[in-house]
Amino acid sequence: MAGNYRFAMDQKDIVRFLITTVGSFIQDRLIDKDQRTQQKEQCAERLAAEDGSSDKDREVRYSDQAVLANLDWGIDALEEAINTSNLETKLARLDYAEKMLQVCAMLNSSQKTAGVPNFYLSAWAHLNLSYLWKLRNNGQNAVLHVLEMFIVDPFFSRIDFAPELWKDLFLPHMSSIVGWYSEERHGIVMDSIPDSSDLSFTVDFDQYFNESLIFSLRPDQAEKMQSLEQLYGQSLDENTRLYAKYYKDCMNNDSTTSKKVIPMMPIVEPPMTPLHEVSRSIPEYVKFGPILPKSAGFSPVLRAKETARGPSRLNSSSTYSGNLEDSAIWDLHEAIPEENEENEDDSDYEPDANMESKDTAHKLVSHNSIGMNKDTETEPEVHQIEVMSRKNSPKIFSPVDSPNSPSKKVSSPKPEMLCKKEHTSVLRLLSSRNIDFKVSASLPDSPLLCRESSSSLKDSDGEMREQQKIVRRKSHMRSVSEVIGNSFLTDNDEGSQSYISLPSPGKLAPQSRPPKDFVCPITGQIFCDPVTLETGQTYERKAIQEWMKRGNTTCPITRQPLSASALPKTNYVLKRLIASWKEQHPDISQEMSYSETPSSSVSTPSSKDIPSDSTPSRTFNLSNNRSRDDYANHRSRDDYINQKPRRFRLAAVSTSPTSVISQAAVETIINGLKPYVSCLCTSEDLQECEAAVLTIARIWKDSKADSGVHSYLSTPTIVNGFVEILSASLNREVLRTSIYILSELLFADDSVGEILTSVDSDFDCLAILLRNGLADTAVLIYLLKPAFSQLSAHNFIPSLVQIISNKSEDSNDLELVMDPKDAAIALLEHILLGGDENTRFHNAMSVISGNGIPSLLKCLDRVDVRQSVISILACCIQADRSCRNLIASRIELSPVLELFHAGSDNARGICIEFLSELVQLNRRTLCTQILQIIKDEGAFSTMHTLLVYLQMAPMEQQPAIAALLLQLDLLVEPRKMSIYREEAIEALMEALQKKDFPNSQIMALDALQSLSGRLTATGNSYTEAWLLKIAGFDQPYNALVKTENLKTFETDLTETMEEEKAATSWEKRVAFVLCNHESGAIFKALGKCLKSNSLEIAKSCLVMATWLIHMLYNLPDTGIRDAARKSLLVQFFSILQSSKNLEEKILATLALRSFITDPGTLDELGVYAKCTYPIFRKLKKNSVVVSDILKVLMNLPSVNAAELWCCNEAFELDSSMNGEVLSLLHMKGRVISCHSDGTIKVWDAGKRVPRLIQEVREHTKAVTCLSISSSHDKLYSGSLDKTIRVWAIKQEEIHCVQVHDVKVAVHELAANANVACFSSQGTGVNVYNWSGVPKHINFNKTVKCLAMTGDKLYCGCTGYSILEVDLCKYTSSIFYSGARKLLGKQTIHSLHIYRGLLFAGGSSVDGTAGKVFTLSSKAVVGSLSTAFDIHCIAVNNDFIFTATKVGIIEVWLKERVTRVASIKIGGQGLVKITSLTSDADGEMLFASSSDGKIQAWRLD
């Protein structure tokens, strides 16, 4: 790739070249995972180095932490997308990565984030965004991001991010700069080469240029070289940025239009125009300019940017002046020469006259990251020592000595020479890698060795290695300057070396001291529980309490009187700041933390630090059961006890040489103890032994627990003597005293525990004492660190609950190392978290049955065991979820929130688990109150803390945190945009889409279902049962009502209405925000989740999707319905066809029922109509919503209804022995038929094979007609025997209750509870009111059929007319009058009323034999076009059935009144259909015929 392409390429060629070159570079990076990993580690190391060099007293803001976290998460997501082969997962991770990386890419490059320059973060983000767009096959965007990287930060882009790409894209344009640099460097070096006059100008002087040559440079030459390097690097950066902008303009310029100006190629000008081009090849080290090691951070670059604003470019390379020792630092390279191994032990080395200047140059010429400013005001005890590495040492000048060439070695100057100057420049190397210190044997490790020239090199080497070991033992997160009181020159993995200033051991460096506001003025230790008095001064709570107990009533500092006798609440703002500072300075905080014992005694860190610092974080599990692994991950018991909690109140064990008790006094005390100890161990008189115990305790207390006395009492013989007293004595004071002494001994010396546990009977003795009510025993058992098996074998739970419930006993001046209640709570937690699932359940139930919950709630005020109390309460809720109502009604939430705000991540996880369970209440009003308290309580914003914790929480905790955060946000109307709501929903959706983590998906779905608010008393969601109830399938809901007692508040109607109103309002809020988040993105997530192979996930997702769809169509339309339909409609149809579970089908049907109200759904429904219609027909009897779907499917314009119609003959009944069947009725699974011989039969038609239930014959002549009341409790029959009978309908039979003689034969009958209307052979109609003589209404027409609704009677008459009779006024009017024909008789043979419509059938006139009317307007809404006369009509929800006298039944679509099929009735010869009826569900059709048969068809 030659440099002459700048004139040969046009714009299209440049764009094509950029896409090809950058694409090849990115493709190589995407293929090479190791290279990507190495680059991330190197960048992380640079970030760590900068963090170490920054001001550690400065608190990092949450926003800065979030930015860095976004960058890390984005890179991780991008890596997941690269590694996965699943397309959906890849696209999802790419979308997430883009969102995260854009945060850093858009940072203001002139500012910093957490001390890191934004230009570095932005460039790194742009590089990863280029990978992302390459994965999306968008080469142009990938190129633009790469160019933006070079624009934002050209320096690190060419040395860290993409050096090979810079070489291809930009180096060919830098020939003039390289030539200028080579010329200038040539001049400087030629001056330093002896006999340079013999060399030509173009000679390859690299063979003469080595490390020894550097030390021959005069100060002015070294300064010239320094300035040259700095100016060269700046020129490369400026012109790289210039060409990157040009390339970007080329990419953005549209060559097809003339509106944009064609970008002009920039011209690269060197700082000084060279006299001629250098003819020889360009060395590798010249191409890139100065290289900055990863361990150097960013400060050198920032300083270089500041100094670059000073002198102009033209003057910076011309003249150099000033002393090298007073000059500025070198900003663009770093190196210290590797010492010559051959001269390592050369003690005969003698410096020449120039040695001092050479040595000075040696010490001052270094890489830019060293920051070797001469400091003339250094402290006398701080000395700069050079430490050199034999391996991985960089070269002196990175632009001069090729990185690929072997290093030349020079001898190091004598140690005495190194001590002449003192330098205090400091660069703290912090890296994610291990720091390896290698110390030269020829260098002293302290100023003392400089003065004592007789010290051997061997001794010096040994001392250096000892200090090296000390440094290694310190955390890599702590600056080396805080550990050892000397200065070292260290080297890291890359081999870069730097000076590190180490303060003297006797004095802490300023960086290693905590801020004075964090230290108690009384104790001199970091605050643990700070309280601010009315005077404005802050003290440690226990320290100021001790001050006030001594009778002081004034402030210790101001001496102002204190008016309040009680101390105020904890200063949580200060406590939070201290916690944040401790996270950044773990070692210092541990050394400076408050302890109740002197510094010489055992350290007692705060109990709040135990879970976070000493134990693995607890596995978060919101499922109903915890596994054994959950307990193992929750807390290591040994770690928990080994780190003595702050609640241990141990008197100081005096080990200081200035102890009040001298050695002679200790011996005197021990001699005084010996008689009593001897009595304790040998006497057989129990009373003597008991007295000895009390005396020993008194002497022990008088000695102030001296260590010598302690050691004497810790012998096995004496310890066993105390144990024997425990097993034999009945004196409570003696027992408590023995427990006190043993716990004191055990607390300070773990070997005492080995003595106590060596015999099983000793522990059994303690168990008996605990069960007998000796509360102090809990402390000793706790300190013994018993295993779960030991605790469970003795059934300690009732005793521990009793200790927690009772008041504390008087101490009698015996102050145990911890409160017995605290020990009991810790032991109880240990028991509840141990064992298998069944054991944990029974143990938690024991706590609940022992009425332990109220006592535990009172213990939340005990700061030291607060976390354990919350953990126990969470276990109780998981065992018996109904107890959450008791907890919710009595708990004081402020202690829980205090722990959540100020606790560790582990403590926060426990609080989240507890609060998530607590708010799952079946009473919406109470749940809202709890949420409001959580939101408002405390000095800190709970929602903000939740949001920050959500971004850093483990994956298994995020759904619960997001659900809780969303509930808090929904306490107000969700009208405005909320970052809390957006992040919470985003977290839930992200968890839903993690198909590789099914547990995360299940937890997200459970959280979403709990958000609906449909919860039982046990906290379980009954959303599914509620949805099935809406669909008409009541069985699951009714079963749940019985088992879960859902209707708890039905006794109070007002309260029930309030709860229902609150639940409905909450449900709408939740549905609104979920549906409208990012234009319905949740539906897309649920659609993917429905495809899961896990039945549990698929079922939960179906319930959630159905609920959201149901709520969506009950909310105002916000334009989301289309997105929901596109994501879920196909899935619901798939479930309907593939699932074998009835409830799943009904849920899918309910969702589809909502969709059919949307006009946009109708076209898509037609595709599935034929395959789903039979399924819907089968579901019709289980769900009331199916009828609506069937109606829509049958009436779709795109669907041929005839293709959907299907019927099968069910059975045929032969009643010919009773003559002709004249009428049929269907009612509640029964078919009632009347016959020409006067018989009425009742059939059971609910089964596949019907059976005759009853046969009655009370009419003497043919029963011509049947009618039934609207309440279905009365049957009316009319007969030719001139009577009308009223029948009472029973479960298995009908019973005649009334007989009315109407004097005329009854041919047609319509009756209800008030009146009976019938027709005879004459004209008109008769009306009978059940109590008098029938009234005849004559209208000169023969009535052929009747239909009645309310007080209106409709009569089908001859002359093709329909008359309407007002039964109140006994008047008639014409409802419909058809056209008369000259030939033939036109008659209305059948009338049927169904849901406000009147169906009429009769003679076929002009191809129409029937019409459909609306009763309200008398308008014709449809016509039955057939050539056959209609004699009978039956109607159900979907169809109209018409029967002709020739034995054909025609089937019509009721909605469109179009014929879809026909049925031929069986029989010999010409068979006339006498009656038709259909069941209410439309599943069966019954027809009777003139040959005495009844036929039935199943409408499938």
Side-chain angles (χ1 to χ4, degrees), residues 1 12 40 409 636 731 859 889 1198 1261 1301 1463 1470:
M1 188 175 304
K12 292 182 179 180
K40 183 178 179 181
K409 296 179 180 179
S636 171
N731 187 314
C859 292
S889 61
S1198 60
K1261 292 185 179 181
D1301 186 1
I1463 304 172
L1470 186 60

Side-chain angles (χ1 to χ4, degrees), residues 1304-1334:
V1304 293
V1306 179
H1307 289 275
E1308 294 291 335
L1309 175 66
N1312 58 28
N1314 300 320
V1315 68
C1317 304
F1318 61 92
S1319 65
S1320 59
Q1321 291 181 344
T1323 60
V1325 65
N1326 298 291
V1327 179
Y1328 181 67
N1329 62 4
W1330 301 116
S1331 61
V1333 179

Side-chain angles (χ1 to χ4, degrees), residues 873-1132:
L873 293 175
C875 292
C876 292
I877 292 177
Q878 290 184 354
D880 182 5
R881 295 181 177 273
S882 60
C883 73
R884 62 162 54 87
N885 291 303
L886 171 64
I887 298 174
S889 61
R890 298 191 181 187
I891 191 171
E892 179 66 32
L893 282 173
S894 55
V896 181
L897 297 176
E898 287 175 8
L899 178 62
F900 174 70
H901 287 299
S904 63
D905 288 345
N906 184 37
R908 289 183 179 180
I910 296 173
C911 293
I912 288 294
E913 179 181 6
F914 174 72
L915 293 175
S916 298
E917 290 283 355
L918 189 64
V919 298
Q920 294 184 24
L921 300 169
N922 61 331
R923 298 182 60 182
R924 187 68 252 166
T925 53
L926 178 59
C927 184
T928 302
Q929 293 175 8
I930 296 293
L931 288 171
Q932 195 67 52
I933 294 173
I934 295 174
K935 183 178 181 181
D936 298 338
E937 190 74 25
F940 295 95
S941 170
T942 302
M943 295 181 65
H944 180 71
T945 308
L946 280 171
L947 178 61
V948 174
Y949 186 54
L950 174 63
Q951 297 174 346
M952 298 181 289
M955 178 177 62
E956 60 272 13
Q957 293 184 12
Q958 291 178 359
I961 301 171
L964 185 58
L965 181 60
L966 182 57
Q967 290 181 78
L968 295 176
D969 184 78
L970 290 178
L971 291 175
V972 296
E973 286 293 334
R975 298 302 178 189
K976 296 182 179 180
M977 184 274 202
S978 169
I979 185 63
Y980 304 110
R981 184 192 320 141
E982 297 298 318
E983 289 296 329
I985 299 177
E986 192 67 32
L988 289 172
M989 290 176 52
E990 183 180 348
L992 272 181
Q993 296 172 350
K994 293 180 179 178
K995 64 178 183 178
D996 295 331
F997 302 94
N999 288 335
S1000 178
Q1001 290 180 300
I1002 292 174
M1003 294 175 68
L1005 289 169
D1006 290 343
L1008 286 171
Q1009 287 195 34
S1010 68
L1011 286 173
S1012 69
R1014 300 283 176 180
L1015 302 172
T1016 65
T1018 58
N1020 296 321
S1021 173
Y1022 68 92
T1023 304
E1024 179 182 358
W1026 179 72
L1027 291 171
L1028 292 172
K1029 183 176 183 293
I1030 294 176
F1033 190 61
D1034 297 338
Q1035 290 88 330
Y1037 184 83
N1038 294 334
L1040 202 60
V1041 168
K1042 294 179 181 179
T1043 57
E1044 296 282 358
N1045 191 23
L1046 290 180
K1047 301 180 180 180
T1048 307
F1049 312 108
E1050 286 191 350
T1051 55
D1052 189 342
L1053 182 60
T1054 303
E1055 188 175 4
T1056 304
M1057 293 176 62
E1058 291 178 358
E1059 288 293 333
E1060 185 61 30
K1061 182 179 179 181
T1064 302
S1065 175
W1066 175 264
E1067 194 174 31
K1068 289 182 178 180
R1069 288 187 187 184
V1070 173
F1072 179 82
V1073 299
L1074 290 178
C1075 293
N1076 288 276
H1077 176 73
E1078 292 188 358
S1079 302
I1082 193 169
F1083 297 111
K1084 183 178 180 181
L1086 289 173
K1088 295 179 180 179
C1089 197
L1090 277 172
K1091 301 175 183 178
S1092 173
N1093 295 326
S1094 169
L1095 296 179
E1096 181 182 3
I1097 294 176
K1099 179 64 177 291
S1100 298
C1101 188
L1102 174 61
V1103 173
M1104 194 63 210
T1106 304
W1107 177 76
L1108 279 176
I1109 295 299
H1110 174 74
M1111 295 302 300
L1112 177 65
Y1113 281 86
N1114 283 279
L1115 292 170
D1117 186 8
T1118 56
I1120 307 300
R1121 295 177 179 178
D1122 287 342
R1125 185 182 69 253
K1126 293 177 182 178
S1127 300
L1128 295 175
L1129 184 64
V1130 176
Q1131 298 294 330
F1132 285 131

Side-chain angles (χ1 to χ4, degrees), residues 202 222 316 430 514 558 653 691 919 988 1063 1119 1262 1279:
T202 59
S316 55
L430 298 181
T558 65
V653 179
V919 298
L988 289 172
S1279 173

Side-chain angles (χ1 to χ4, degrees), residues 1274-1490:
K1274 292 290 194 318
L1275 175 69
Y1276 309 97
S1277 62
S1279 173
L1280 296 180
D1281 63 2
K1282 302 179 182 180
T1283 62
I1284 297 176
R1285 292 180 180 266
V1286 181
W1287 307 80
I1289 301 174
K1290 305 295 183 182
Q1291 183 68 23
E1292 292 289 338
E1293 62 179 13
I1294 60 174
H1295 178 65
C1296 183
V1297 294
Q1298 294 178 12
V1299 179
H1300 297 271
D1301 186 1
V1302 294
K1303 308 301 182 180
V1304 293
V1306 179
H1307 289 275
E1308 294 291 335
L1309 175 66
N1312 58 28
N1314 300 320
V1315 68
C1317 304
F1318 61 92
S1319 65
S1320 59
Q1321 291 181 344
T1323 60
V1325 65
N1326 298 291
V1327 179
Y1328 181 67
N1329 62 4
W1330 301 116
S1331 61
V1333 179
K1335 181 177 180 60
H1336 182 72
I1337 301 176
N1338 190 6
F1339 34 74
N1340 298 323
K1341 290 180 182 294
T1342 301
V1343 176
K1344 294 297 183 179
C1345 55
L1346 296 174
M1348 183 170 62
T1349 175
D1351 58 355
K1352 300 292 184 181
L1353 176 68
Y1354 299 90
C1355 306
C1357 308
T1358 56
Y1360 212 66
S1361 62
I1362 302 174
L1363 297 180
E1364 182 183 68
V1365 178
D1366 189 336
L1367 296 178
C1368 296
K1369 299 178 180 180
Y1370 297 102
T1371 59
S1372 64
S1373 61
I1374 297 176
F1375 181 86
Y1376 170 77
S1377 178
R1380 294 184 179 182
K1381 298 295 182 179
L1382 296 177
L1383 299 177
K1385 298 180 180 180
Q1386 292 84 36
T1387 304
I1388 301 296
H1389 294 291
S1390 179
L1391 290 176
H1392 190 93
I1393 296 176
Y1394 188 85
R1395 295 186 178 178
L1397 296 177
L1398 176 63
F1399 299 85
S1403 303
S1404 177
V1405 178
D1406 295 335
T1408 300
K1411 292 186 180 296
V1412 183
F1413 305 90
T1414 58
L1415 293 178
S1416 59
S1417 64
K1418 302 180 181 180
V1420 178
V1421 295
S1423 299
L1424 303 175
S1425 301
T1426 177
F1428 301 103
D1429 293 349
I1430 297 175
H1431 286 263
C1432 303
I1433 291 180
V1435 182
N1436 63 21
N1437 288 332
D1438 303 318
F1439 300 102
I1440 307 170
F1441 304 96
T1442 61
T1444 67
K1445 62 181 180 179
V1446 296
I1448 297 176
I1449 301 174
E1450 293 183 317
V1451 184
W1452 307 76
L1453 196 61
K1454 183 168 77 73
E1455 200 71 23
R1456 288 158 43 185
V1457 197
T1458 56
R1459 183 170 52 194
V1460 294
S1462 60
I1463 304 172
K1464 182 70 173 69
I1465 193 171
Q1468 300 293 331
L1470 186 60
V1471 179
K1472 177 183 177 182
I1473 299 176
T1474 57
S1475 181
L1476 276 179
T1477 187
S1478 175
D1479 66 339
D1481 296 329
E1483 295 183 357
M1484 297 290 293
L1485 175 65
F1486 303 91
S1488 63
S1489 59
S1490 57

